[in-house]
Amino acid sequence: MKAYYYDDLPGDPRLPHHSPSSPAIPPSHLTTLGLLHQHIPLPSPTSPSSPALEAIATARGYQHRDTITVSPAALGPAYGDKIRAFFAEHMHEDEEIRYILAGAGYFDVREVGDERWVRVRVEEGDLLVLPPGIYHRFTTDGGDFVRAMRLFREAPRWVALERGGGTEGNEWRRGYVEGREGRVRAEGGLGGGEVERGGGGVEI
């Protein structure tokens, strides 16, 4: 997993959008933003579960799971519309849990202040948990293929609330912002919560 600031230049969002001068983003700052991230190697292509994954699922109360494949082959003519929907800035009232089984993609999450994007590249074996209330978006990379396990506390569902005036008053959004502000204060409030400028990105 690799994290860095999205360069905000126009162009295909499936491209890396990584400037060589982008500030490095350490794993601790992703934690400040509320993300849980871990690399769990797949035991085998036919059996993606592992003791480490099961321990996390048990500890966090994930009762259900399914598998989603995002690719032109899997989604057919709907692929373009689905990717555009995923890439629209939104939030959920539930955690979004993805364990990457094959392929790769990008999750963009809002930095403190909700203006800059932090881009997180996920590949096979990466587990990423986004908290309720965080503004984010997703796209595949240039390979146009990702297969992921989705985990849920309750019955599987994916309800996206696009960012707008109404979302700021959402109780899950308010709870997320309050928690993030507390973590920023604990981190020292560096640059209003942003990371100092440095080179590259950081492998997690």
Side-chain angles (χ1 to χ4, degrees), residues 9-90:
L9 295 177
D12 190 337
R14 296 171 300 168
L15 297 175
H17 285 273
H18 182 201
S19 169
S21 62
S22 173
I25 299 180
S28 60
H29 191 64
L30 295 184
T31 301
T32 297
L33 296 178
L35 277 62
L36 170 68
H37 43 89
Q38 187 170 336
H39 184 77
I40 305 174
L42 272 67
S44 75
T46 58
S47 180
S49 187
S50 69
L53 180 64
E54 295 306 320
I56 291 173
T58 298
R60 300 183 69 83
Y62 301 148
Q63 304 288 329
H64 304 275
R65 64 188 67 181
D66 65 14
T67 300
I68 182 173
T69 300
V70 181
S71 71
L75 298 176
Y79 176 71
D81 289 340
K82 185 67 73 173
I83 283 295
R84 282 188 288 274
F86 289 160
F87 201 66
E89 183 174 2
H90 62 277

Side-chain angles (χ1 to χ4, degrees), residues 9-203:
L9 295 177
D12 190 337
R14 296 171 300 168
L15 297 175
H17 285 273
H18 182 201
S19 169
S21 62
S22 173
I25 299 180
S28 60
H29 191 64
L30 295 184
T31 301
T32 297
L33 296 178
L35 277 62
L36 170 68
H37 43 89
Q38 187 170 336
H39 184 77
I40 305 174
L42 272 67
S44 75
T46 58
S47 180
S49 187
S50 69
L53 180 64
E54 295 306 320
I56 291 173
T58 298
R60 300 183 69 83
Y62 301 148
Q63 304 288 329
H64 304 275
R65 64 188 67 181
D66 65 14
T67 300
I68 182 173
T69 300
V70 181
S71 71
L75 298 176
Y79 176 71
D81 289 340
K82 185 67 73 173
I83 283 295
R84 282 188 288 274
F86 289 160
F87 201 66
E89 183 174 2
H90 62 277
M91 56 158 278
H92 305 292
E93 294 182 342
D94 307 280
E95 286 186 338
E96 181 166 345
I97 309 101
R98 298 293 182 268
Y99 179 47
I100 308 302
L101 305 177
Y106 299 107
F107 278 96
D108 297 336
V109 300
R110 283 297 189 185
E111 174 60 286
V112 176
D114 298 307
E115 294 183 2
R116 300 187 72 182
W117 285 110
V118 171
R119 170 152 282 197
V120 181
R121 178 175 173 82
V122 290
E123 301 176 343
E124 180 180 311
D126 288 333
L127 173 72
L128 186 66
V129 180
L130 305 182
I134 190 172
Y135 290 137
H136 65 283
R137 62 191 185 186
F138 173 79
T139 185
T140 52
D141 68 0
D144 284 319
F145 174 82
V146 66
R147 179 178 296 120
M149 179 187 296
R150 307 189 303 173
L151 297 98
F152 307 88
R153 287 200 172 100
E154 299 176 355
R157 69 172 192 158
W158 189 87
V159 179
L161 303 176
E162 289 198 17
R163 183 177 180 179
T167 54
E168 287 303 311
N170 181 282
E171 63 175 313
W172 294 99
R173 173 64 187 170
R174 293 200 310 269
Y176 168 72
V177 172
E178 290 172 4
R180 184 183 64 187
E181 290 175 350
R183 291 187 296 270
V184 167
R185 288 192 294 271
E187 190 183 36
L190 179 61
E194 293 192 1
V195 175
E196 286 184 312
R197 297 197 63 81
V202 173
E203 297 288 349

